[in-house]
Structures are given as structure tokens and as C-alpha cells.
């Protein structure tokens, strides 16, 4: 709580503005300025008030700030933009966490092109907590204006100070003027969600000036979008020389950069912002200068961060603006009734522009927002503001709200109170039905605005309404949408056809819509599964157990297996409580993470609910094990029937094979004393399709070395939107198709047998000489009969089928996606030419045969399975490429009942072409 001193002199009363909205008046708003709806209530009596900035932290009992070298990976984010790892430096309190790039003798200073590595000493990651989304790519001080980074870092030192403070000091020099030494201190207090940054630069030369020195910062926003006061959301060009602060926003997280006093000069170019804090100067020998600014981060709203900084700025007088936003409607007697608080409404605050102002004054003001505040659970908002006059109005995009023609007068130490009313929201009320049965089914809605309609942002990355997506377990729901026209895509995983429709959302009413989804294909004898997904039991995931179940059901996954590090998360109670036992089943899995010290690799044991002891296993010894061999031994002792899987095998720093010295350019596995006694090997994780090729090659090297295991994949999903469950998913042979009757012990056994296919869209069903996937087929006549069927939904267009022996392509069937019957489900062979699905394959020696089905960059699966929705890189594909990999069938050609394959002495030929993949 921030308590401003009560005024000792009588001041103007706090004014309370109430907007009366009825249905009729709201409709009139479409024909006249909404300001005409406003009526002013009686002025509140004069009173003294205490300003309250909720969630401010000064009166809370906070732990001291810490600064340390990160010696483990336990708290390092695994997000797409993360660069945190061992030897990095961490500065944190219980409100924020900052990570700085390591500086060590064994780390290169320059990349392969000779450029300085910004990660050395640069601020890499800014978070409110480890599970928050990545909020920054890099922040680096510079002395060269707004377009270059030329400070080479020599040291990064953390230390803890008195009074709960901690600091990280980064020292280096200007590469173009080595005598120009640069020192930056990042000071964190125990009760501030960020740091005070002080950069000093000293010309250590005895006789030479340091020329053209401009104190600056370079900010690589990455996925964040910058906001500048008076300019709004910005994408490029010179912003101006009088910028007081800059915000960045990504998902639910806000980040503020502000000078401690005065203003700054800001430029934006793509995802990079350059900030200059003073004029370009020449420095005399021995001269020292410094510049100081704040970097704060929060998940509340930008007004909260601005209020914190405003109290620290020198020579700045301020008062407070408080208020609320309430949904109101007219009752039977004509009075206005408060219905509900309006959460997450944006409050736009702009300097007031009056007609009687002098032209030179008006010229320096902007009608664009100076600041944005957000309402909280009870519809309330509050912020500190510099003394002055402001225009304030709420905006919710889904409701009619007033644009008032009045000024909020902010006086030093005083409170201005405002009260806004809105109409009810514009909403879509939907149902999703199975077209064949007419019964409700779980599903997902994806909204794409049509021309003239703004993009929607329905929620955060871990929510069921997230980004432009809504997920429903019951096949029914209500979603608030801004009025306009949309393309809505309704889907339920890969076994249903995508349904596309056009809808128009009207203001002040509910739009009713029913969607009937058709089956694309059925998979008798197979269960679809996503193995190793995360819940909020993982520090880097925000998805609750209930939300995890619903998101999986909406994507048509039959069996979901958790994979939180260090704990076996059980979702069975959540499934029962949601009434989804006929839709989805679950089993716990236990992950021994590669981020757990000692660092020996990433391993997954599942399903742990079949452990023969009947008791909850004690996984403590597994976490403490110091070798992979002991991890495997302990896992098998705890759950002999379960699957012991090697996951993330080739990841840098944490991958088990990488730790053995393995790289993908080796023709064979490295020699050494390490175990390959695993049941399954993960070759595909989530949207990292670029890794599939190298892990596929590695998998076949393992098979050639005499070790037999099953290739599988999963999403390792940490979120919902942009991190969907089920892409890829594994299909496992099962005696039942009913999720309520799934036998996890049978599924574990079939995984070990290799009765598994991996896919993000197409489904492969094939036999050799009539034997199914995972079989050992004995055939000594030099030829086998391969029968292939490929199924796909209408949003997954395939272009090639590749038959591989021992990991190398021997036969390719090219398809024209335009000629495929996308509504039929069975896309190969053609219904009129079923013989095309039978191939005679010559096999001269023992071999492993598998099939890869792929699409192309020209026909991705967006929007059902997008790539990275928040990327601004137009060079990246906007959807995932359809792809499926069958389980191997083993061919014994010499009749000895086993597989004898000689290791390669060269690199295997890739079964796929580089241009077909997104990386």
C-alpha cells in the first residue's frame, strides 16, 4: 500500500462520474457520440483519502534480494526464447528474477561470424517468477547511440549487500575505444519488482579524448510489444527525444524502462529498441560520467510499475487517480443496477487537450495514451500521475463504454475518483456437437478477424481462453468477443475434420452458434496419447491440472501422461470431477530432469500407476542417482512393468547422449561406458521439428549398435495456446478404443514392443507380409510385401510417402495435395486405385523398415496447429508441417530369428530434404 500524506488545507472534492447505460441508450450510442450518454451524479462530499495502489509491496514482509551464480538448471526456463543456463548469474527477490549471461574462460566471446556475443554479461531474461513467460530477449548497455553494441564484457560479479539488497556488477570496455571502461551495477531492493541500473563510463587514457560517447541501452524485445507514452504501441522509427518511460508487454507480463530523472530518446526497429539517455559527448582523459534508470517487471498492469517509479523520480510532483468500472443496466423502475465488475478493462489516460490552450502547448500534447491502467477482480483501478489535467476513459473492446468529455484534475497529494458504467458484453454462445451422434463433444475454437476487425487476445498462454483460442470440455461455452466479423475454425485434434465458418458478433447481444464436427477417420485398435506433458507442478508451467485435462480433451487425446520433474502428477481425480471419464484417461509419469544435478540427462518413467508394489513409489533415490545406469536400474526396480524412456537425448548441456560427447555428424555412437538400456527413445518434441531429423538418425545408429527400443514423441507441453497438447501424439496399439477401459499396463507393454506411430496430423497404418508395426518378420526370399494406408484430416495435406531401410530412403511416393480427397480421411491409396498402397520391397540383409509421411511448407496446419503465433518473423512458416513416422518393422532375412545389422562407417543419408522442414 502507498499512503500519500493527507492534505492539511481544504482541497477540491473528489468527483465521481457515473455513466447510466440502458439497452436503449447503448443502442443510441451507435448513432451518436457515446459521451452524450454521460450523466453526472452528485459530487461526493469533500473528504480526505489515502491513496491505495493495490499489490504494492512496501508494507509486505519480503525476503532479502539474492545474487548468485546459477550452478544448477533447476530454475532455468525451458521456453523458446530462454538462454538461461549453468554459470549464468541470477539476481532475484520474491517479486522478480533477472538472469545475466555467463562470462567464463571456456565460453567464446564471438560467434562464428566474428560478432560479439551479447549474451556475455547481457541481461537475458526478466521474469516475475520462473513459470512466467519469457519477457525479454536481451538488454545491453551501449555507448554508441541507438544502433550498435560494442561493449565487450570482462566480468559479471554478484554480491549481497546490507538491508536486503543485492547487486550484479558487469564490467568491460568499448571495443572501438579500449581506454573507455564501462561498469554497470544492477541494484535490487527487497521490495521492488526490478532493479535500479547505474552505468558509469570512464576515459582511462592519459592523453586521448574518448569521442562520440552516447550513453545508451539496446533492448531486444523479442516477443514483447513496446508502448511509449503519447505514441501508443510502436513498431518502428524514431519515437522522440522526450520519452519519460517505455513499456514492453508479452502475455500477462509488463516490463518498464524509465530514467531516474528527465527523459530519453528512443528508436524502434523491428524487435530492437535503442534508448539514448543523453547527448553525444567527447570525454576528457580521466573523466567519468554515469546514467541511471529503472527496469521493473510485473503481471499486474503498467500503471502499477509507473507508480513505483514515479515515487523514485526526483523533482516530480504527483497525485492519485482511483476508480472502478462496473457493468450496469436499467432496472424496471428506471434506476441503474450494478450487475458485475468489469475485469481487465483498459483505462486510457491522456493529457487533456482544451480548445483554449495555446497552439504551442497543443502541439506538444498527444491524444494517444500517456498511460494504460487495467482493472482488477472488483473492477477497480488506481495509479499515481504527475500533476496535471488528463482525459480518462475505459475500453474493453467487448462493451460500450463512455468516452467522457471531462478532465481529471491531478493535484499534488490529492485523490481524484472516477466511476464508469458499461453495457453488457458482446458474446458468442456456442455448442460443439459430433455430427454422427448429435452429442456434445470437447473441442477448440480458433478466431481469426476478418478485414476491419481487430485481432483478439482472450487470455494468457496457460489459460483455456488464450490468445485467439477457446477450449471447451463440455462442448459448450460463452466467450466475450469484440463486435466484428471473424473466421472461426472449430477442431478436435486430428481425427476430426476442421470446420470453418464465418460469424458476425453484434454489440450488446449474444450470438448463438452450433458447430457439428465430422469424423475424418477412426483408429480401431489404437489409442492416441501425449506422453510427458507438464502441469503447474513444473516451475515453468502455468497450466493447472484441471486445465491440462480440458486442453487434452479438446484436442482429442485419449490418454495423457504427465511428466513433471521430480513428482508423479495424477490427473485422475480431475478427470472424474470434470465428468470426462468416457472421453480421456490419464496416468502419472515421473521425470528425472536434465536440469537436476548431477546433470546426467533427461529420463521419463511411465505409467507409474502400474507399479507392482501398489504403493506410491519413493523416487528420492532416482533424483539423487549420479549415473544414468543407476537411474535406469532404480526406475526398473520401482516399476518393472513401466516404460523407461530417454527424452531430450541430444539437447545441448542436458542431453544424455550430448553429455557422452555425441554429435549428429558422427557416423556412429561414441565409445564409452554408458547405458542404452532404455525401452523408448524420444525423437520428436513439440514444435521442434528441426530436431526430428537428427534424432531419427541417432535412433537408427542405436538400432545398428544392437540396442532395440521404440521411437516415440510428445509435446512436453508447458502451456495451452502456442504449446498445444497432441501435436505430436503417439498412437499405441490397444485392445480397446474406449478411454474409460484403457489398461495402462497393456499400453506400456505395447510401447515396449514397438506398436507405436508418431504424428502431428497424418495417421499411418501398415503391415509387412501381413504383420503389424513392431513385428519381427522372417522372410528369406529377398522381397517383402509392404501395404500402406495413410489417413489425414482436411487441415493436414501430405505430399510424400518415404519408405526407409535402416534409416535411409529407398522408395518415395510423391502425391499432389490438390488431387487428394481431403474430406475422405483416407488420402492414400486412392479409393479408385487401392493397389497403389501395395509395394514390393527388396531386402538383401537384415533391416529395419519404417515409413515417413510429410507435407510441405506450402500447406501448413495453421490455424489448428500453428507454429509460434507470437512471432513477428515473417520468414517463419505460420503453421506446423504435417508429418508422421511409423514404428519400425524388423526384417530377418537369414532366418535366425533375430536382427543382425552392421554399424555404418559413414553418415547415413537423410530420409528427408532440408527444404521440407521449418528450420
Amino acid at each position: 500500500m502507498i499512503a500519500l500524506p493527507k492534505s492539511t488545507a481544504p482541497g477540491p472534492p473528489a468527483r465521481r462520474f457515473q455513466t447510466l447505460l440502458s439497452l436503449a441508450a447503448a443502442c443510441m450510442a451507435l448513432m451518436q457520440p457515446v459521451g452524450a450518454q454521460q450523466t453526472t451524479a452528485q459530487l461526493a462530499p469533500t473528504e480526505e483519502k489515502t491513496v491505495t495502489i493495490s499489490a504494492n509491496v512496501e508494507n509486505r514482509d519480503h525476503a532479502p534480494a539474492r545474487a548468485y551464480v546459477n550452478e544448477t538448471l533447476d530454475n532455468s526456463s525451458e521456453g523458446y526464447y530462454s538462454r538461461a543456463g549453468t554459470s549464468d548469474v541470477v539476481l532475484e527477490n520474491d517479486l522478480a528474477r533477472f538472469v545475466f549471461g555467463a562470462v567464463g574462460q571456456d565460453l567464446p566471446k564471438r560467434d562464428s561470424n566474428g560478432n560479439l556475443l551479447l549474451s556475455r554479461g547481457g541481461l537475458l531474461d526478466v521474469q516475475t517468477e520462473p513459470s512466467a513467460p519469457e519477457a525479454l530477449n536481451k538488454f545491453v548497455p551501449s555507448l554508441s547511440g541507438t544502433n550498435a553494441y560494442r561493449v565487450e564484457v570482462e566480468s559479471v560479479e554478484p554480491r549481497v549487500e546490507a538491508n536486503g539488497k543485492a547487486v550484479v556488477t558487469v564490467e568491460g570496455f568499448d571495443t572501438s575505444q579500449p581506454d573507455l571502461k564501462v561498469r554497470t551495477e544492477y541494484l535490487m531492493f527487497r521490495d521492488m519488482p526490478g532493479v535500479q541500473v547505474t552505468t558509469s563510463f570512464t576515459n582511462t587514457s592519459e592523453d586521448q579524448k574518448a569521442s562520440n560517447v552516447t550513453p545508451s541501452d539496446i533492448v531486444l524485445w523479442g516477443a514483447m510489444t513496446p508502448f511509449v507514452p503519447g505514441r501508443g504501441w510502436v513498431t518502428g522509427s524514431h519515437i522522440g527525444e522526450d520519452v519519460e518511460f517505455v513499456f514492453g508487454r508479452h502475455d500477462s507480463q509488463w516490463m518498464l524502462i524509465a530514467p531516474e530523472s528527465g527523459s530519453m530518446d528512443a528508436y524502434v526497429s523491428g524487435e530492437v529498441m535503442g534508448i539514448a539517455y543523453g547527448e553525444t559527448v567527447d570525454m576528457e582523459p580521466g573523466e567519468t560520467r554515469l546514467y541511471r534508470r529503472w527496469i521493473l517487471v510485473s503481471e499486474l498492469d503498467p500503471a502499477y510499475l509507473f507508480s513505483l517509479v514515479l515515487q523514485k523520480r526526483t523533482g516530480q510532483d504527483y497525485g492519485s487517480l482511483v476508480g472502478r468500472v462496473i457493468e450496469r443496466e436499467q432496472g424496471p423502475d428506471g434506476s441503474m443496477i450494478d450487475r458485475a465488475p468489469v475485469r481487465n478493462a483498459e483505462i486510457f489516460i491522456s493529457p487533456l487537450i482544451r480548445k483554449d490552450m495555446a497552439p504551442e502547448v497543443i502541439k506538444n500534447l498527444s491524444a494517444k495514451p500517456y498511460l494504460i491502467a487495467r482493472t482488477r477482480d472488483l473492477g477497480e483501478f488506481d495509479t499515481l500521475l504527475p500533476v496535471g489535467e488528463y482525459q480518462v476513459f475505459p475500453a474493453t473492446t467487448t462493451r460500450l463504454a463512455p468516452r467522457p468529455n471531462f478532465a481529471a484534475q491531478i493535484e499534488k497529494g490529492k485523490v481524484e475518483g472516477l466511476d464508469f458504467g458499461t453495457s453488457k458484453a458482446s458474446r458468442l454462445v456456442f455448442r460443439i456437437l459430433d455430427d454422427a451422434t448429435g452429442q456434445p463433444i470437447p473441442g477448440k475454437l480458433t478466431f481469426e478477424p476478418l478485414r476491419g476487425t481487430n485481432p483478439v487476445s482472450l487470455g494468457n498462454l496457460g489459460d483455456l481462453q488464450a490468445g485467439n483460442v477457446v477450449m471447451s470440455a463440455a462442448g459448450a461455452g460463452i466467450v466475450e468477443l469484440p463486435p466484428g466479423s471473424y473466421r472461426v475454425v472449430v477442431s478436435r485434434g486430428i481425427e476430426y475434420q476442421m470446420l470453418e465458418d464465418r460469424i458476425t458478433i453484434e454489440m450488446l447481444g449474444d450470438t448463438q452458434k452450433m458447430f457439428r464436427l465430422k469424423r475424418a477417420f477412426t483408429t480401431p485398435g489404437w489409442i492416441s496419447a501425449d506422453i510427458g506433458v507438464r502441469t503447474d507442478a513444473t516451475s515453468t508451467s502455468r497450466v493447472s491440472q484441471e486445465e491440462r485435462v480440458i486442453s487434452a480433451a479438446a484436442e482429442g487425446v485419449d490418454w495423457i501422461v504427465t511428466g513433471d520433474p521430480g513428482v508423479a502428477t495424477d490427473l485422475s481425480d480431475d478427470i472424474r470431477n470434470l465428468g470426462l471419464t468416457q472421453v480421456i484417461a490419464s496416468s502419472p509419469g515421473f521425470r528425472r530432469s536434465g536440469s537436476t544435478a548431477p546433470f546426467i540427462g533427461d529420463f521419463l518413467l511411465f505409467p507409474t500407476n502400474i507399479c507392482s508394489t501398489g504403493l506410491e513409489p519413493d523416487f528420492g533415490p532416482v533424483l539423487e542417482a549420479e549415473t544414468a545406469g543407476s537411474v535406469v536400474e532404480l526406475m526398473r526396480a520401482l516399476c518393472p512393468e513401466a516404460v523407461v524412456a530417454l527424452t531430450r537425448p541430444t539437447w545441448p548441456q542436458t542431453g544424455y547422449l550430448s553429455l557422452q560427447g555425441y554429435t549428429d555428424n558422427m557416423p556412429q555412437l561414441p565409445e564409452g561406458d554408458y547405458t542404452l538400456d532404455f525401452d523408448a527413445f524420444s525423437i520428436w518434441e513439440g514444435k521442434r521439428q528441426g530436431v526430428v531429423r537428427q534424432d531419427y538418425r541417432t535412433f537408427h545408429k542405436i538400432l545398428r549398435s544392437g540396442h532395440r527400443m521404440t521411437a516415440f514423441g510428445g509435446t512436453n507441453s508447458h502451456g495451452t495456446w502456442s504449446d498445444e497438447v497432441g501435436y505430436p501424439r503417439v498412437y499405441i496399439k490397444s485392445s480397446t478404443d474406449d478411454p474409460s477401459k484403457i489398461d495402462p499396463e497393456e499400453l506400456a507393454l505395447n510401447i515396449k514392443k514397438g506398436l507405436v506411430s508418431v504424428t502431428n496430423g497424418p495417421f499411418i497404418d501398415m503391415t509387412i507380409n501381413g504383420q503389424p508395426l513392431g513385428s519381427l518378420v522372417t522372410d528369406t526370399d529377398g522381397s517383402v510385401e509392404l501395404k500402406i494406408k495413410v489417413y489425414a484430416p482436411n487441415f493436414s495435406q501430405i505430399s510424400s510417402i518415404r519408405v526407409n531401410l535402416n534409416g535411409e530412403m529407398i522408395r518415395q511416393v510423391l502425391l499432389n495435395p490438390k488431387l487428394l480427397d481431403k474430406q475422405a480421411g483416407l488420402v492414400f491409396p486412392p479409393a479408385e486405385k487401392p493397389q497403389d498402397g501395395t509395394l514390393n520391397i527388396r531386402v538383401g540383409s537384415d533391416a529395419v523398415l519404417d515409413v515417413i509421411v510429410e507435407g510441405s511448407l506450402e500447406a501448413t496446419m495453421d490455424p489448428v496447429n500453428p507454429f509460434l503465433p507470437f512471432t513477428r518473423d515473417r520468414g517463419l512458416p505460420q503453421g506446423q508441417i504435417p508429418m508422421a513416422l511409423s514404428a519400425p518393422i524388423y526384417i530377418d532375412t537369414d532366418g535366425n530369428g533375430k536382427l543382425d545389422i552392421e554399424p555404418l562407417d559413414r553418415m547415413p543419408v537423410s530420409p528427408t530434404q532440408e527444404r521440407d522442414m521449418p528450420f
Side-chain angles (χ1 to χ4, degrees):
M1 176 182 294
I2 300 174
L4 292 182
K6 295 182 179 181
S7 174
T8 56
R15 287 174 291 180
R16 184 174 184 269
F17 291 88
Q18 184 175 32
T19 301
L20 306 180
L21 288 177
S22 64
L23 287 176
C27 292
M28 289 290 291
L30 301 177
M31 298 178 285
Q32 63 182 16
V34 293
Q37 304 168 50
Q38 177 187 311
T39 62
T40 304
Q42 293 293 321
L43 295 180
T46 302
E47 58 181 332
E48 297 177 340
K49 285 191 175 182
T50 296
V51 181
T52 299
I53 303 294
S54 76
N56 201 337
V57 296
E58 292 187 353
N59 291 339
R60 290 174 53 187
D61 184 18
H62 290 284
R66 299 193 303 150
Y68 58 92
V69 177
N70 188 28
E71 296 180 350
T72 75
L73 293 180
D74 292 338
N75 294 323
S76 298
S77 172
E78 297 171 333
Y80 286 103
Y81 290 96
S82 175
R83 290 170 174 81
T86 55
S87 300
D88 288 346
V89 174
V90 178
L91 181 62
E92 65 183 4
N93 56 22
D94 52 12
L95 298 167
R97 181 172 181 266
F98 286 31
V99 179
F100 302 82
V103 177
Q105 298 301 318
D106 56 337
L107 298 176
K109 292 185 177 181
R110 298 179 182 273
D111 62 21
S112 58
N113 296 319
N115 299 316
L116 286 172
L117 292 176
L118 304 190
S119 59
R120 293 177 56 87
L123 181 55
L124 304 183
D125 195 9
V126 177
Q127 298 175 320
T128 54
E129 55 179 303
S131 63
E134 300 297 325
L136 184 69
N137 264 11
K138 291 193 183 84
F139 172 92
V140 287
S142 175
L143 298 180
S144 55
T146 59
N147 59 359
Y149 174 80
R150 66 188 194 200
V151 174
E152 181 158 314
V153 173
E154 297 177 297
S155 66
V156 181
E157 297 294 336
R159 72 177 185 273
V160 177
E161 297 190 338
N163 301 319
K165 297 184 290 186
V167 66
V168 169
T169 302
V170 181
E171 296 192 7
F173 60 91
D174 189 306
T175 56
S176 64
Q177 302 181 80
D179 289 331
L180 189 59
K181 302 301 182 184
V182 184
R183 174 188 175 95
T184 301
E185 287 194 341
Y186 299 83
L187 176 63
M188 177 172 279
F189 302 85
R190 67 193 307 158
D191 56 3
M192 287 285 282
V195 293
Q196 182 188 58
V197 188
T198 302
T199 299
S200 60
F201 42 106
T202 302
N203 182 7
T204 61
S205 173
E206 296 182 355
D207 53 8
Q208 295 292 324
K209 286 186 177 181
S211 58
N212 298 320
V213 180
T214 307
S216 309
D217 290 325
I218 296 176
V219 186
L220 283 74
W221 289 108
M224 301 191 83
T225 302
F227 171 90
V228 176
R231 280 80 171 177
W233 301 105
V234 296
T235 56
S237 74
H238 184 202
I239 304 304
E241 299 179 357
D242 57 348
V243 177
E244 295 178 62
F245 56 87
V246 176
F247 285 114
R249 180 178 69 178
H250 170 47
D251 196 45
S252 60
Q253 198 158 220
W254 297 83
M255 177 177 146
L256 168 71
I257 302 175
E260 192 156 271
S261 61
S263 60
M264 53 195 187
D265 190 6
Y267 292 79
V268 176
S269 175
E271 297 183 358
V272 180
M273 173 171 280
I275 301 173
Y277 295 94
E279 296 180 354
T280 300
V281 297
D282 293 335
M283 294 179 60
E284 298 294 333
E287 184 179 358
T288 297
R289 293 174 178 255
L290 63 83
Y291 58 106
R292 183 172 290 147
R293 58 275 195 214
W294 286 93
I295 305 177
L296 302 178
V297 62
S298 172
E299 291 190 65
L300 298 173
D301 65 68
Y304 162 63
L305 297 180
F306 178 67
S307 297
L308 294 178
V309 166
L310 194 55
Q311 296 171 92
K312 304 291 184 181
R313 288 172 68 90
T314 57
Q316 185 82 65
D317 293 333
Y318 56 84
S320 181
L321 176 69
V322 301
R324 64 173 185 159
V325 180
I326 301 291
E327 179 183 311
R328 295 190 172 103
E329 69 178 13
Q330 191 170 23
D333 61 354
S335 63
M336 299 305 296
I337 302 172
D338 288 358
R339 287 301 186 191
V342 179
R343 297 177 60 251
N344 293 325
E346 290 190 328
I347 309 300
F348 291 94
I349 303 168
S350 303
L352 179 69
I353 301 176
R354 290 187 280 105
K355 293 181 179 179
D356 59 351
M357 288 179 172
E360 60 271 16
V361 174
I362 295 177
K363 181 179 179 181
N364 292 326
L365 296 177
S366 170
K368 289 187 177 181
Y370 170 79
L371 185 65
I372 297 176
R374 295 181 73 87
T375 58
R376 298 182 291 279
D377 288 346
L378 300 179
E380 79 278 21
F381 66 92
D382 42 46
T383 183
L384 301 182
L385 287 170
V387 169
E389 289 184 298
Y390 298 88
Q391 180 173 339
V392 185
F393 64 91
T396 69
T397 72
T398 63
R399 303 168 184 267
L400 284 176
R403 295 179 67 95
N405 50 4
F406 64 87
Q409 180 73 46
I410 302 300
E411 300 182 30
K412 182 180 179 180
K414 304 292 178 60
V415 181
E416 178 80 343
L418 301 176
D419 189 13
F420 296 99
T422 74
S423 71
K424 64 181 183 180
S426 54
R427 310 186 306 176
L428 172 67
V429 181
F430 67 88
R431 297 182 67 197
I432 305 173
L433 305 180
D434 186 297
D435 186 64
T437 66
Q439 297 299 309
I441 55 172
K444 178 174 75 174
L445 278 66
T446 303
F447 298 95
E448 294 190 338
L450 299 178
R451 180 174 296 180
T453 301
N454 293 324
V456 296
S457 180
L458 302 174
N460 301 320
L461 298 181
D463 300 335
L464 296 175
Q465 292 193 15
N468 64 332
V469 165
V470 173
M471 297 179 180
S472 169
I478 300 174
V479 54
E480 291 188 12
L481 285 170
S485 298
Y486 299 88
R487 174 195 180 211
V488 58
V489 173
V490 189
S491 60
R492 189 176 183 242
I494 69 176
E495 294 183 31
Y496 280 83
Q497 304 286 29
M498 176 188 82
L499 174 64
E500 181 180 350
D501 202 351
R502 300 291 190 272
I503 61 172
T504 299
I505 302 297
E506 303 290 349
M507 178 59 81
L508 297 176
D510 290 345
T511 300
Q512 308 276 345
K513 200 71 179 178
M514 181 183 295
F515 305 102
R516 302 182 73 98
L517 292 184
K518 295 183 178 181
R519 273 273 186 180
F521 56 89
T522 59
T523 56
W526 295 90
I527 286 291
S528 67
D530 197 345
I531 297 170
V533 300
R534 312 294 185 104
T535 71
D536 55 9
T538 297
S539 65
T540 53
S541 172
R542 293 188 167 190
V543 184
S544 70
Q545 295 183 18
E546 180 179 288
E547 290 170 331
R548 176 53 72 211
V549 170
I550 293 173
S551 64
E555 295 289 5
V557 175
D558 300 321
W559 186 43
I560 185 170
V561 178
T562 58
D564 293 312
V567 60
T569 307
D570 189 352
L571 304 179
S572 55
D573 287 345
D574 301 279
I575 291 175
R576 282 192 295 271
N577 294 338
L578 290 166
L580 293 175
T581 55
Q582 301 299 313
V583 175
I584 190 169
S586 173
S587 289
F590 176 83
R591 184 184 300 274
R592 206 285 191 182
S593 173
S595 298
T596 301
F599 309 125
I600 54 178
D602 202 289
F603 314 100
L604 183 66
L605 178 71
F606 70 94
T608 62
N609 59 337
I610 65 171
C611 296
S612 56
T613 62
L615 302 174
E616 184 174 348
D618 177 12
F619 293 110
V622 177
L623 295 174
E624 297 169 1
E626 296 186 358
T627 66
S630 56
V631 166
V632 172
E633 182 179 349
L634 289 166
M635 283 184 168
R636 293 202 190 283
L638 287 170
C639 295
E641 299 85 5
V643 177
V644 178
L646 177 59
T647 51
R648 298 185 167 181
T650 59
W651 275 47
Q653 290 189 308
T654 62
Y656 175 58
L657 293 180
S658 299
L659 292 170
Q660 312 308 316
Y662 172 77
T663 60
D664 185 46
N665 59 8
M666 292 181 174
Q668 300 180 27
L669 298 175
E671 297 182 357
D673 184 17
Y674 61 94
T675 184
L676 286 174
D677 184 22
F678 301 100
D679 302 313
F681 179 95
S682 175
I683 68 166
W684 186 354
E685 182 179 301
K687 299 184 178 181
R688 298 176 176 90
Q689 282 184 282
V691 185
V692 177
R693 178 181 297 101
Q694 72 180 46
D695 283 345
Y696 175 86
R697 288 194 293 256
T698 302
F699 172 66
H700 276 278
K701 295 174 192 177
I702 292 173
L703 294 181
R704 284 179 170 274
S705 71
H707 295 84
R708 182 166 170 178
M709 59 183 73
T710 298
F712 80 106
T715 62
N716 194 46
S717 173
H718 288 61
T720 52
W721 182 74
S722 89
D723 198 9
E724 302 85 359
V725 173
Y727 306 96
R729 64 192 70 193
V730 295
Y731 276 89
I732 310 164
K733 268 293 186 181
S734 172
S735 59
T736 178
D737 301 332
D738 185 346
S740 66
K741 298 177 181 178
I742 282 177
D743 180 357
E745 190 167 348
E746 178 196 17
L747 296 181
L749 179 60
N750 286 344
I751 290 173
K752 293 179 180 181
K753 290 180 178 179
L755 304 178
V756 172
S757 286
V758 189
T759 180
N760 68 357
F763 176 76
I764 303 172
D765 190 12
M766 73 179 199
T767 62
I768 290 182
N769 294 354
Q771 298 299 306
L773 298 171
S775 300
L776 175 64
V777 177
T778 298
D779 191 313
T780 60
D781 65 5
S783 178
V784 296
E785 183 182 72
L786 171 65
K787 289 189 175 182
I788 303 174
K789 290 183 178 180
V790 180
Y791 301 83
N794 55 1
F795 59 88
S796 178
Q797 298 186 22
I798 64 172
S799 57
S800 69
I801 300 172
R802 306 178 186 197
V803 180
N804 309 303
L805 273 184
N806 299 329
E808 299 187 77
M809 186 178 73
I810 60 166
R811 184 79 64 86
Q812 182 177 27
V813 179
L814 296 179
L815 306 173
N816 185 345
K818 295 181 180 179
L819 300 180
L820 299 180
D821 185 354
K822 292 181 290 186
Q823 301 301 324
L826 178 65
V827 295
F828 181 84
E832 66 278 7
K833 298 178 66 179
Q835 65 275 13
D836 287 358
T838 300
L839 303 174
N840 290 317
I841 306 296
R842 295 184 60 83
V843 183
S845 59
D846 286 8
V848 178
L849 185 146
D850 56 43
V851 170
I852 292 178
V853 172
E854 288 182 292
S856 68
L857 283 172
E858 287 71 36
T860 61
M861 294 190 291
D862 187 58
V864 174
N865 182 14
F867 183 64
L868 292 176
F870 49 78
T871 184
R872 287 186 239 144
D873 187 346
R874 299 304 181 211
L876 290 174
Q878 295 306 299
Q880 290 287 277
I881 297 171
M883 184 177 179
L885 170 65
S886 76
I889 294 181
Y890 305 95
I891 305 173
D892 168 29
T893 59
D894 56 16
N896 66 354
K898 62 179 182 178
L899 198 67
D900 303 306
I901 307 177
E902 293 296 325
L904 282 176
D905 58 0
R906 56 180 174 78
M907 280 295 294
V909 177
S910 172
T912 58
Q913 300 176 25
E914 297 292 332
R915 65 179 178 84
D916 289 331
M917 303 300 281
F919 294 96

